[in-house]
Amino acid sequence: MEKEAIRKEIIARLKTLSKQEIKRWSEWSCQAICSLSAYQEADTIATFLSMPHEMDTSFLIRQAQLDGKKIVVPKTYGKGRMVFVPYDENDLVLSSFGVWEPRSDAALDPSEIDVIHVPGLAWNQAGHRIGYGGGFYDRYLAQFQGMTVSTPHDFQRYEFREEEFDQAVRKVLYYETND
């Protein structure tokens, strides 16, 4: 199946999840990430600002703040360029992609980030992912040396052939349901 068809299928499935299911998944994701030694040893955690049909990263952001971690979130530019900027909930703007992102341009060097919580739509057995198609994360992760983790729903497991520029996520933790 083509990546675009997989994207459409997964987005449609995500949009069928109830608010309660997204909340359970989000709470589970927060606990799963916070239990990792990489998280516990980290000073700076990067995560994304979720769209309504995705797991809600505000749970992780709040917990990381309580744990004294520095939180950074992505900001995108033209030509697939992305940086991570310190999170400030009072200084966000809606991007052209319909995602909240920082107004600030105060980017951190990738070496200052310990763990990146990577979003996506589908993951294969090798940890490669299909995102929304902009290539932002693959470009960024190609030069990132730290820990990467994703917490997809179990139905986001998908076998597909990765392309040469695709970057694998080091740890993929699936949210399993009994449905």
Side-chain angles (χ1 to χ4, degrees):
M1 193 183 289
E2 298 281 325
K3 282 186 172 184
E4 196 51 45
I6 295 170
R7 279 186 191 100
K8 285 184 175 139
E9 182 180 312
I10 298 290
I11 289 170
R13 179 84 190 268
L14 286 166
K15 288 182 175 181
T16 68
L17 296 177
S18 70
K19 287 191 183 329
Q20 276 309 107
E21 177 66 6
I22 289 174
K23 182 175 187 265
R24 283 192 297 272
W25 176 20
S26 304
E27 289 171 337
W28 175 88
S29 293
C30 176
Q31 290 174 339
I33 291 168
C34 292
S35 71
L36 297 172
S37 59
Y39 170 89
Q40 292 164 9
E41 296 164 11
D43 293 319
T44 303
I45 305 291
T47 191
F48 55 99
L49 297 175
S50 33
M51 292 187 270
H53 61 271
E54 295 176 312
M55 56 124 340
D56 182 354
T57 56
S58 69
F59 291 89
L60 176 60
I61 291 169
R62 271 195 303 277
Q63 186 60 53
Q65 288 171 326
L66 289 171
D67 293 341
K69 311 287 185 194
K70 181 176 191 172
I71 311 298
V72 293
V73 294
K75 177 169 182 142
T76 57
Y77 298 91
K79 297 189 171 91
R81 189 168 89 83
M82 179 177 80
V83 298
F84 283 93
V85 174
Y87 173 71
D88 177 352
E89 68 182 313
N90 299 313
D91 194 34
L92 301 173
V93 294
L94 206 53
S95 76
S96 58
F97 296 108
V99 178
W100 290 101
E101 60 179 34
R103 189 182 319 267
S104 167
D105 291 308
L108 265 72
D109 186 270
S111 66
E112 296 178 73
I113 301 170
D114 300 302
V115 177
I116 298 179
H117 180 217
V118 183
L121 293 168
W123 284 258
N124 70 13
Q125 200 149 0
H128 290 93
R129 51 181 273 291
I130 295 175
Y132 287 90
F136 292 97
Y137 274 88
D138 287 320
R139 283 183 193 87
Y140 194 91
L141 295 179
Q143 37 121 15
F144 179 69
Q145 300 300 309
M147 171 59 110
T148 54
V149 61
S150 291
T151 54
H153 208 287
D154 56 2
F155 65 78
Q156 292 177 280
R157 277 180 223 257
Y158 230 98
E159 281 317 304
F160 57 87
R161 190 185 333 256
E162 62 269 8
E163 296 173 41
E164 66 181 75
F165 55 82
D166 288 340
Q167 301 296 312
V169 174
R170 292 190 174 96
K171 189 172 269 311
V172 182
L173 306 169
Y174 288 97
Y175 173 63
E176 305 281 347
T177 58
N178 298 329
D179 303 347

